């Protein structure tokens, strides 16, 4: 067959080179010859394009008698041979466990806190012996704010930086013009350049709250700087030839869309993400990419590309795709996404989101979404029954402090105590507010404030006994709220269910 013929030809060439090598180069030549011999015997399961390129070097390097590094040639392999284990539970981690007696380090911190789902070989050693390692996380500007689902990579970035490594936050000004198909049942809506620029500005402000972007500490970079100027034919000739369509079709982001259809535009996303890693390596010596486990296929495409063209070892860490104990997707509520922008989701509501976490999730969330020492978290894990609420308040306060600052966290705590603690040690002025004229229909007010999604929802909630005004259950959907119901501060308390309370203040 053609592959065997090529392997035989390569073996003959290797033998000829062997006769002219220096003693120091002989072991490397033997490794290559051994690999070619295995291919002749049909032992390789690598796709033909990968088989052909596995040991290809630029001609000028071959002529110059380059001495190959055994640790590099050993790693030039298809992503199929990367060592990793996948857990049945998407919230369980299964990356390489650190040695029991290992000293505290960046990898160990991520592992014990539950960040690591999988990693390529050598990542732990890289972080321990090559510090500082430059690493990156990509954020496509699909909205003008990130949401709670983005907190895992952002917190991981912060932990790595606190342990001596250099972060690159990659804004997808280029890839955002296509849209990542991973996890999507249909194509993302195309955005204008102006919208992408606006979204990038919003995301930049949020990233600055998690990582230090001071001089020489961390950077925010934009892949528009190198993607938008690419020449299509040149890119296809230089890089497209290195990707196998057969392998690309096996990626989860593609397989899940084959029945409903995927545009050629989206299909190209894999190539661009892989090229990002190559550019970041060349520009910033970036050797590590971290991201969600749904990105594994795209990430290892970039690892292959860097290893082939630069003959350098790089790697990745992926995180579990979080769901709550109830099975719901992390960061989603009945009212929509939990945004990180305070204008979209107030600090008080953000605080309440964490307070309302399932009891079974509290310990895991404390590890992932706070910087509390593990010893302190271990003590909070011991709380049972009603005492778990204390751990929830610690989680809510710490998470809110990281995103919105300590002052906002204190205000949210005071508001929560006023709303749910009977006023004890609380501050009603810290509760969420809404100004309204009086008199006003109870149904209209519920819809206007967002406590109910519509007037129909408001009527159903009243019929179900879920609405209260100043603590009294409302039974009449035709009720009109007037000034006589206001307290001394010209306000009343409107409540839906046990957890949603709003202070309605009379307009001046």
């Amino acid at each position: 067959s053609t592959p065997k013929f090529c392997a035989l030809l390569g073996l003959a060439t290797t033998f000829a080179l062997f006769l002219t090598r220096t003693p120091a180069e002989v072991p490397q030549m033997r490794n290559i010859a051994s690999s070619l011999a295995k291919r002749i015997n049909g032992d390789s399961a690598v796709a033909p394009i990968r088989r052909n390129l596995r040991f290809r070097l630029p001609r000028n390097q071959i002529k110059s008698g380059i001495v190959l590094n055994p640790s590099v040639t050993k790693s030039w392999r298809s992503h199929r041979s990367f060592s990793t284990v996948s857990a049945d539970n998407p919230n369980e981690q299964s990356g390489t466990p650190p040695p029991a007696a290992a000293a505290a380090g960046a990898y160990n911190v991520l592992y014990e806190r539950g960040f690591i789902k999988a990693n390529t070989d050598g990542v732990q050693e890289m972080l321990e012996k090559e510090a500082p390692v430059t690493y990156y996380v990509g954020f496509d500007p699909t909205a003008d704010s990130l949401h709670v689902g983005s907190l895992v990579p952002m917190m991981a970035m912060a932990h790595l930086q606190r342990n001596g490594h250099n972060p690159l936050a990659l804004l997808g000004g280029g890839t955002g013009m296509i849209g990542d198909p991973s996890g999507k049942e249909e194509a993302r809506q195309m955005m204008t350049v102006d919208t992408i620029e606006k979204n990038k500005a919003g995301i930049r402000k949020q990233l600055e709250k998690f990582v230090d972007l001071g001089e020489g500490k961390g950077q925010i970079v934009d892949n528009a700087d190198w993607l938008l100027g690419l020449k299509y034919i040149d890119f296809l000739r230089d890089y497209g030839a290195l990707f196998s369509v057969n392998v690309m079709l096996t990626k989860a982001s593609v397989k899940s869309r084959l029945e409903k259809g995927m545009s050629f535009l989206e299909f190209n996303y894999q190539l661009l993400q892989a090229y990002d890693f190559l550019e970041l390596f060349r520009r910033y010596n970036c050797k590590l990419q971290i991201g969600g486990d749904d990105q594994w296929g795209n990430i290892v495409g970039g690892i292959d590309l860097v290893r082939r063209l630069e003959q350098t070892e790089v790697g990745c860490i992926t995180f579990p795709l979080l769901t709550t104990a109830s099975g719901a997707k992390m960061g989603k509520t009945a009212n929509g996404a939990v945004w990180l922008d305070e204008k979209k989701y107030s600090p008080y509501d953000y605080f309440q989101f964490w307070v309302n976490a399932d009891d079974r999730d509290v310990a895991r969330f404390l590890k992932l979404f706070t910087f509390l020492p593990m010893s302190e978290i271990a003590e909070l894990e011991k709380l049972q029954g009603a005492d778990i609420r204390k751990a929830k308040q610690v989680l809510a306060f710490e998470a809110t402090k990281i995103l919105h600052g300590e002052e906002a966290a204190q205000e949210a705590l005071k508001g929560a105590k006023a709303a749910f603690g009977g006023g004890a040690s609380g501050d009603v002025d810290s509760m969420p507010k809404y100004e309204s004229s009086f008199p006003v229909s109870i149904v209209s007010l519920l819809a206007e404030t967002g406590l109910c999604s519509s007037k129909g929802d408001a009527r159903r909630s009243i019929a179900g006994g879920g609405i209260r005004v100043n603590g009294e259950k409302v039974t009449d959907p035709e009720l009109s709220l007037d000034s006589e119901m206001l307290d001394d501060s010209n306000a009343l308390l409107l409540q839906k269910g046990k957890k949603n309370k709003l202070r309605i203040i009379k307009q001046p």
Side-chain angles (χ1 to χ4, degrees), residues 164-299:
H165 301 287
N166 298 331
L168 290 175
L170 178 66
L171 294 181
T175 48
M177 299 187 74
I178 295 177
D180 184 0
S182 300
K184 296 296 179 182
E185 296 182 355
E186 56 186 25
R188 295 179 185 268
Q189 183 177 355
M190 297 288 285
M191 297 182 294
T192 65
V193 174
D194 289 342
T195 298
I196 291 174
E197 290 300 317
K198 176 186 175 184
N199 292 350
K200 287 194 298 186
I203 293 173
R204 183 183 297 268
K205 293 178 182 178
Q206 292 162 7
L207 290 171
E208 291 172 345
K209 297 179 180 181
F210 290 82
V211 293
D212 188 346
L213 298 173
E215 185 175 351
K217 296 181 178 179
Q219 297 183 67
I220 293 180
V221 295
D222 189 345
N223 62 17
D225 294 343
W226 54 82
L227 292 182
L228 298 188
L230 286 176
K231 295 182 178 180
Y232 186 61
I233 298 299
D234 289 344
F235 180 78
L236 290 182
R237 286 174 59 88
D238 293 340
Y239 305 103
L242 303 179
F243 291 84
S244 165
V245 172
N246 292 353
V247 175
M248 292 173 69
L249 288 172
T250 66
K251 302 294 178 68
S253 60
V254 175
K255 289 174 66 177
S256 62
R257 291 281 301 280
L258 288 180
E259 290 186 6
K260 292 188 176 181
M262 169 183 274
S263 69
F264 180 70
L265 180 69
E266 293 176 285
F267 189 65
N268 275 269
Y269 192 93
Q270 296 181 51
L271 276 70
L272 299 183
Q273 184 171 337
Y275 183 70
D276 280 344
F277 204 167
L278 179 64
E279 279 291 328
L280 290 171
F281 172 79
R282 288 173 170 173
R283 292 170 182 241
Y284 305 101
N285 194 33
C286 178
K287 292 187 175 182
L288 178 68
Q289 181 177 175
I290 59 178
D293 198 54
D294 60 339
Q295 293 291 311
W296 175 265
N298 290 355
I299 292 174

Side-chain angles (χ1 to χ4, degrees), residues 224-486:
D225 294 343
W226 54 82
L227 292 182
L228 298 188
L230 286 176
K231 295 182 178 180
Y232 186 61
I233 298 299
D234 289 344
F235 180 78
L236 290 182
R237 286 174 59 88
D238 293 340
Y239 305 103
L242 303 179
F243 291 84
S244 165
V245 172
N246 292 353
V247 175
M248 292 173 69
L249 288 172
T250 66
K251 302 294 178 68
S253 60
V254 175
K255 289 174 66 177
S256 62
R257 291 281 301 280
L258 288 180
E259 290 186 6
K260 292 188 176 181
M262 169 183 274
S263 69
F264 180 70
L265 180 69
E266 293 176 285
F267 189 65
N268 275 269
Y269 192 93
Q270 296 181 51
L271 276 70
L272 299 183
Q273 184 171 337
Y275 183 70
D276 280 344
F277 204 167
L278 179 64
E279 279 291 328
L280 290 171
F281 172 79
R282 288 173 170 173
R283 292 170 182 241
Y284 305 101
N285 194 33
C286 178
K287 292 187 175 182
L288 178 68
Q289 181 177 175
I290 59 178
D293 198 54
D294 60 339
Q295 293 291 311
W296 175 265
N298 290 355
I299 292 174
V300 297
I303 292 173
D304 276 352
L305 191 61
V306 175
R307 287 174 171 175
R308 290 174 179 179
L309 298 182
E310 301 296 333
Q311 291 85 53
T312 299
E313 184 74 17
V314 295
C316 75
I317 294 173
T318 59
F319 315 124
L321 302 179
L322 289 186
T323 57
T324 63
S326 62
K329 188 175 181 180
M330 180 66 187
K332 297 290 185 179
T333 70
N335 296 323
V338 180
W339 298 102
L340 304 188
D341 186 341
E342 62 182 9
K343 295 178 181 178
K344 289 175 172 283
Y345 208 82
S346 72
Y348 176 85
D349 289 333
Y350 190 74
F351 185 97
Q352 288 302 311
F353 168 76
W354 297 108
V355 166
N356 294 331
D358 190 300
D359 292 356
R360 296 167 292 177
D361 289 324
V362 175
R364 183 160 56 101
F365 288 177
L366 282 166
K367 295 173 185 176
L368 289 170
F369 303 119
T370 78
F371 293 119
L372 292 176
M374 290 296 290
S375 58
E376 187 173 338
I377 294 174
E379 291 301 313
L380 292 169
E381 277 189 90
K382 297 176 182 178
L383 298 176
Q384 300 292 327
D387 289 338
I388 292 180
R389 186 162 182 82
K390 297 177 183 178
K392 289 184 176 183
Q393 287 191 339
V394 172
L395 167 64
F397 182 83
E398 293 296 325
T400 305
K401 181 175 71 173
I402 293 170
L403 179 61
H404 296 297
E406 186 163 3
E407 184 177 347
Q410 292 286 2
E411 287 296 308
L413 177 60
K414 292 177 183 178
K417 288 181 176 180
F420 301 100
S425 69
D427 183 357
V428 294
D429 290 333
S430 298
M431 290 181 60
K433 312 173 187 66
Y434 185 87
E435 289 190 356
S436 175
S437 58
F438 288 87
V440 61
S441 161
I442 180 69
V443 168
S444 297
L445 186 60
L446 286 167
E448 290 173 8
T449 58
L451 284 177
C452 294
S453 59
S454 65
K455 291 184 177 181
D457 181 34
R459 292 181 184 277
R460 289 189 294 273
S461 297
I462 292 172
I467 304 299
R468 293 177 180 270
V469 174
N470 292 332
E472 298 293 327
K473 184 180 295 186
V474 176
T475 58
D476 182 8
E478 304 303 324
L479 175 67
S480 177
L481 306 179
D482 56 38
S483 298
E484 294 182 1
M485 297 179 177
L486 304 179

Side-chain angles (χ1 to χ4, degrees), residues 2 57 74 126 135 312 368 487 494:
T2 300
L57 291 173
K74 180 180 178 182
M126 178 197 299
Y135 60 95
T312 299
L368 289 170
D487 60 21
L494 183 61

